[in-house]
């Protein structure tokens, strides 16, 4: 049977539009390169999405190497140069099979060669080229001189009075990047200093080092971040760019004076973020359908709300991908620009130059826009300008800081937006949190009861609504090398979507309290954050403990 053409397959999977495919084919005619390479270069699809489509084409499994730790036994079977040359990564050994990640599953010669070289049968998995090459550098390096060992050695040297602060800071950063940390905390205490990494939203203690070298470590971070090293009494903010194995990171740094010295937090932001897809973020099918329908509207406002670090910007970026930038004029104002999109005009806030969110919206209206993305609504002027733009025929996407969807309405009223403007201008409000997913490598099932779930804060009414069984089978992670023993790997969004339809709009205009609006929305089928969390538990995506930790 003939293989499906790559472009058609990417369209079917929802990663590519017909217009984007035609643009890529035009460029292919001019340059003669492979269609896949052109699609990735144009940022129409991510390398991972391309690899997923290729895996689908050949009937093999896709493996996300950012979440996978290859076994040292497998790595030792193929040397680093061979792995580099053929863009392959040995993953694991099971019996007489070698699991192997490849970027080109059509090249059977490589598989024959590896089979002869290792004397094993080869089981093929597909991954993206960049991910494979990056993993080769990280994991083969770890085989010879693990970063943890280098850090422990540097700390030992420091105990002897031979400190090397620049090396230590570099190693702390490398460890954080390899373990998918979003933040690195260097915290002084009375007797020693400690290094914590925030991974999947949770802080983990990693290292303890001598208190006497804390000032030199802080000074090193300050020098890199362009801060004043002589100022130790006041908090400071700064940042720098850092490269580690085929990837560049923006590091945002913050220092704060404490009783025992300056506390340092470094936030790690990869510059080449993967493209986002609504389906992968955690939307349940019915919510996804509703959200995609709302995003396709010609005008109105869509707000995404939640605390800092709850993935709001990611959801907005994923929503932007559903809008055809080749047929609509899309403008964004962000703080900062976290990911560059093709055919979208992106601008960055510059308060010193007087370029604020509100100023940007005012100027955008002269640029014949169809869609405007505003990074955040944080003041009255921005709120008013954004709602006006939504009422006057533009689709406006933005974020706001509130706890849930319904409490966004009083927040907008606080920002002096009139009730009738909210009712007529806002299409929907989505609230979200990020919860850790159960590690797929050590997932196990167990039996529990409805009564047991009630102890995690789920009411009997909610439980009865989603399951009629008294005995329920749930999942949890046992802990393995992939998830560093935590039982969790990666995160997914828990969401609630409040659609501002006629009846809800009427309640807003009449000034009814948020609780009444929430009850009406639930009558109309809205799922709350708690209910969506319960679905994630029942579907084996997360655990009751994790939902209680994040949502309460």
């Amino acid at each position: 049977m003939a293989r499906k053409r790559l472009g058609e397959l990417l369209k079917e999977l929802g990663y590519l539009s017909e217009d984007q495919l035609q643009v890529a084919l035009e460029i292919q005619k001019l340059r003669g390169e492979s269609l896949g390479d052109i699609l990735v270069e144009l940022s129409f699809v991510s390398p991972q999405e391309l690899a997923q489509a290729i895996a689908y084409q050949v009937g093999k499994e896709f493996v996300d190497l950012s979440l996978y730790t290859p076994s040292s036994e497998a790595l030792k079977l193929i040397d680093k140069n061979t792995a580099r040359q053929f863009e392959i990564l040995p993953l694991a050994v099971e019996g007489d099979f070698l699991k192997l990640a490849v970027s080109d599953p059509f090249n059977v010669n490589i598989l024959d060669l590896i089979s002869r070289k290792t004397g094993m049968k080869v089981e093929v998995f597909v991954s993206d080229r960049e991910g494979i090459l990056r993993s080769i550098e990280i994991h083969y390096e770890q085989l010879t001189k693990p970063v943890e060992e280098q850090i422990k050695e540097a700390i030992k040297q420091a105990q002897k009075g031979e400190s090397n602060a620049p090396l230590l800071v570099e190693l702390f950063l490398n460890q954080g990047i390899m373990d998918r940390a979003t933040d690195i905390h260097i915290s002084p205490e009375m007797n020693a200093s400690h290094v914590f990494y925030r991974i999947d939203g949770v802080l983990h203690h990693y290292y303890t080092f001598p208190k006497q070298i804390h000032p030199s470590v802080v000074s090193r971070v300050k020098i890199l971040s362009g801060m004043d090293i002589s100022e130790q009494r006041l908090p400071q903010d700064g940042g720098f760019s850092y490269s580690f194995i085929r990837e560049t990171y923006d590091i945002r740094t913050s220092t704060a004076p404490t009783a025992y010295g300056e506390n340092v937090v470094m936030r790690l932001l990869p510059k080449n973020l993967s493209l986002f897809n609504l389906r992968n973020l955690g939307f349940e099918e019915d919510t996804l359908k509703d959200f995609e329908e709302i995003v396709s509207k010609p005008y109105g406002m869509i707000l995404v709300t939640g605390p800092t670090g709850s993935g709001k910007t990611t959801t907005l970026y994923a929503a932007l991908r559903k809008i055809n930038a080749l047929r609509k004029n899309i403008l964004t104002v962000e703080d900062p620009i976290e990911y560059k999109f093709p055919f979208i005009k992106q601008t960055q806030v510059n308060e010193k130059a007087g370029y604020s969110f509100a100023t940007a919206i005012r100027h955008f209206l002269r640029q014949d826009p169809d869609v405007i993305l505003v990074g955040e609504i944080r003041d009255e002027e921005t709120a008013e300008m954004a709602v006006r733009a939504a009422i006057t025929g533009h689709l406006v996407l933005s974020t706001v800081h509130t706890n849930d969807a319904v409490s966004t309405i009083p927040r907008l009223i606080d920002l002096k937006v009139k009730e009738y403007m909210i009712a007529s201008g806002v299409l929907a409000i989505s609230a979200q949190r990020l919860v850790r997913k159960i590690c797929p490598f050590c997932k196990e099932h167990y039996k529990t009861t409805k009564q047991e779930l009630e102890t995690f804060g789920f009411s009997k009414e909610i439980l009865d609504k989603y399951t009629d069984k008294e005995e329920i089978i749930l999942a949890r992670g046992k802990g393995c090398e992939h998830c560093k023993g935590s039982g969790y790997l990666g995160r997914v969004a828990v969401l609630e979507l409040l659609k501002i339809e006629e009846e809800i709009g009427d309640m807003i205009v009449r000034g009814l309290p948020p609780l009444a609006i929430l009850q009406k929305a639930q009558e109309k089928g809205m799922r709350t954050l708690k209910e969506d969390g319960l679905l994630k538990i029942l579907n084996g995506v997360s655990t009751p403990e994790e939902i209680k930790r994040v949502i309460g």
Side-chain angles (χ1 to χ4, degrees):
M1 195 174 79
R3 268 202 323 259
K4 256 192 188 149
R5 295 171 82 106
L6 186 61
E8 292 304 316
L9 192 52
L10 284 162
K11 270 168 55 186
E12 263 180 47
L13 292 168
Y15 296 151
L16 189 69
S17 71
E18 177 60 34
D19 284 351
Q20 289 173 327
L21 177 57
Q22 291 311 318
V23 168
L25 289 170
E26 288 295 318
I27 292 172
Q28 190 184 31
K29 275 183 208 163
L30 289 174
R31 292 176 19 192
E33 296 168 15
S34 84
L35 180 65
D37 288 346
I38 289 166
L39 289 169
V40 170
E41 187 192 320
L42 288 169
S43 290
F44 285 162
V45 297
S46 70
Q48 291 87 349
E49 287 168 350
L50 183 65
Q52 282 172 27
I54 291 168
Y56 191 85
Q57 251 186 338
V58 294
K60 301 290 181 193
E61 199 177 322
F62 168 80
V63 61
D64 181 352
L65 293 176
S66 68
L67 301 175
Y68 195 99
T69 308
S71 74
S72 53
E73 184 190 2
L75 290 169
K76 284 170 186 169
L77 288 173
I78 297 170
D79 65 276
K80 187 177 182 178
N81 289 336
T82 304
R84 255 202 214 125
Q85 185 187 344
F86 296 115
E87 293 171 7
I88 57 176
L89 182 73
L91 300 173
V93 174
E94 279 185 15
D96 54 355
F97 275 93
L98 170 64
K99 292 185 168 187
L100 190 72
V102 302
S103 62
D104 181 7
F106 304 111
N107 191 336
V108 289
N109 296 333
I110 293 176
L111 308 182
D112 288 343
L113 175 81
I114 297 304
S115 194
R116 284 200 308 274
K117 199 166 183 169
T118 59
M120 302 186 80
K121 295 172 191 165
V122 175
E123 187 184 348
V124 171
F125 292 80
V126 180
S127 197
D128 58 291
R129 180 175 176 271
E130 272 302 305
I132 288 174
L133 292 173
R134 192 167 177 274
S135 292
I136 287 168
E137 296 305 320
I138 288 174
H139 296 298
Y140 278 98
E141 186 73 11
Q142 281 288 86
L143 264 188
T144 50
K145 43 176 185 178
V147 170
E148 304 95 284
E149 297 306 318
Q150 293 180 61
I151 290 174
K152 284 172 187 167
E153 186 54 42
I155 290 171
K156 258 189 212 164
Q157 295 299 108
Q159 283 168 325
K160 294 176 190 170
E162 303 164 22
S163 79
N164 185 342
L167 173 67
L168 211 46
V169 170
E170 186 181 312
L171 291 171
F172 288 154
L173 284 164
N174 294 351
Q175 179 80 65
I177 291 165
M178 283 164 49
D179 285 1
R180 301 180 304 106
T182 51
D183 302 85
I184 301 171
H185 293 238
I186 302 173
S187 306
E189 289 299 325
M190 187 186 288
N191 302 315
S193 286
H194 303 270
V195 179
F196 296 84
Y197 291 115
R198 188 176 292 281
I199 300 165
D200 290 336
V202 177
L203 275 180
H204 298 266
H205 181 275
Y206 266 62
Y207 302 107
T208 301
F209 64 90
K211 183 75 182 294
Q212 63 266 29
I213 66 160
H214 184 84
S216 56
V217 168
V218 173
S219 293
R220 176 59 185 163
V221 173
K222 283 182 165 183
I223 289 164
L224 288 171
S225 308
M227 296 178 185
D228 179 356
I229 60 167
S230 64
E231 179 54 78
Q232 295 170 13
R233 298 160 303 165
L234 295 171
Q236 292 187 65
D237 291 312
F240 59 98
S241 193
Y242 185 76
S243 292
F244 177 69
I245 302 180
R246 306 178 72 87
E247 199 154 356
T248 306
Y249 293 79
D250 278 331
I251 313 289
R252 284 195 216 156
T253 313
S254 166
T255 64
T258 73
Y260 301 111
E262 288 181 282
N263 192 69
V264 175
V265 178
M266 292 184 277
R267 169 150 282 194
L268 279 56
L269 300 163
K271 276 190 180 168
N272 52 340
L273 288 167
S274 174
L275 290 174
F276 308 107
N277 193 292
L278 285 171
R279 193 171 294 278
N280 301 341
L281 295 182
F283 282 78
E284 298 295 331
E285 276 302 323
D286 54 347
T287 312
L288 177 65
K289 190 164 167 283
D290 285 346
F291 194 78
E292 286 183 341
E293 200 178 294
I294 292 158
V295 169
S296 67
K297 301 256 188 207
Y299 56 85
M301 180 185 260
I302 301 165
L303 290 169
V304 180
T305 179
T308 305
S310 59
K312 299 186 294 295
T313 307
T314 305
T315 300
L316 285 185
Y317 280 165
L320 272 192
R321 282 194 74 195
K322 298 304 292 181
I323 300 165
N324 189 343
L326 294 166
R327 289 181 184 254
K328 293 201 172 179
N329 184 20
I330 304 174
L331 296 128
T332 81
V333 54
E334 304 169 55
D335 183 22
I337 295 170
E338 286 185 30
Y339 180 81
K340 291 184 175 63
F341 276 89
F343 302 99
I344 289 176
K345 294 85 182 170
Q346 292 174 273
T347 69
Q348 187 160 316
V349 165
N350 186 338
E351 297 287 356
K352 284 181 189 163
Y355 188 64
S356 64
F357 285 122
T359 313
I361 302 168
R362 195 174 288 113
H363 286 288
F364 284 175
L365 295 174
R366 297 178 203 140
Q367 287 272 316
D368 182 32
D370 294 298
V371 181
I372 296 171
L373 184 144
V374 182
E376 189 189 334
I377 291 175
R378 51 169 89 132
D379 57 56
E380 291 174 16
E381 194 185 0
T382 307
E384 190 197 349
M385 292 295 301
V387 177
R388 281 196 187 285
I391 289 170
T392 55
H394 309 92
L395 185 68
V396 179
L397 309 175
S398 191
T399 70
V400 64
H401 282 272
T402 56
N403 282 332
D404 54 29
V406 170
S407 59
T408 304
I409 296 162
R411 172 69 183 137
L412 289 174
I413 293 166
D414 281 349
L415 291 169
K416 305 288 189 290
V417 179
K418 300 279 192 297
E419 284 87 345
Y420 74 88
M421 288 178 80
I422 298 170
S424 57
V426 180
L427 293 169
I429 303 164
S430 172
Q432 66 181 62
R433 299 286 187 281
L434 291 178
V435 297
R436 291 180 294 171
K437 291 195 288 187
I438 296 165
C439 172
F441 302 103
C442 60
K443 191 176 194 173
E444 63 174 9
H445 290 91
Y446 68 100
K447 286 179 182 172
T448 188
T449 61
K450 270 190 187 176
Q451 208 172 353
E452 182 65 31
L453 277 178
E454 281 181 47
T455 64
F456 289 97
F458 294 102
S459 67
K460 193 171 184 315
E461 293 75 36
I462 288 181
L463 290 166
D464 289 343
K465 186 174 169 182
Y466 290 98
T467 179
D468 52 5
K469 295 176 183 147
E470 281 308 315
E471 192 175 75
I472 305 162
I473 293 172
L474 301 182
R476 62 187 168 206
K478 285 185 287 193
C480 63
E481 71 275 12
H482 298 290
C483 62
K484 300 275 192 293
S486 70
Y488 297 99
L489 191 60
R491 288 192 289 176
V492 68
V494 169
L495 310 111
E496 63 182 21
L497 183 65
L498 172 66
K499 294 184 282 183
I500 312 291
E501 293 165 337
E502 197 175 330
E503 216 172 330
I504 301 280
D506 181 52
M507 293 174 82
I508 294 168
V509 171
R510 287 190 287 132
L512 291 177
L515 190 59
I517 294 170
L518 175 63
Q519 285 166 346
K520 177 55 71 179
Q522 285 180 281
E523 278 172 35
K524 291 171 129 343
M526 172 184 144
R527 252 198 313 274
T528 62
L529 283 168
K530 190 93 171 176
E531 289 175 324
D532 199 50
L534 178 60
L535 274 185
K536 297 287 186 288
I537 295 167
L538 297 175
N539 293 335
V541 175
S542 194
T543 64
E545 293 83 357
E546 180 64 4
I547 299 300
K548 185 172 172 62
R549 180 185 74 83
V550 176
I551 296 164

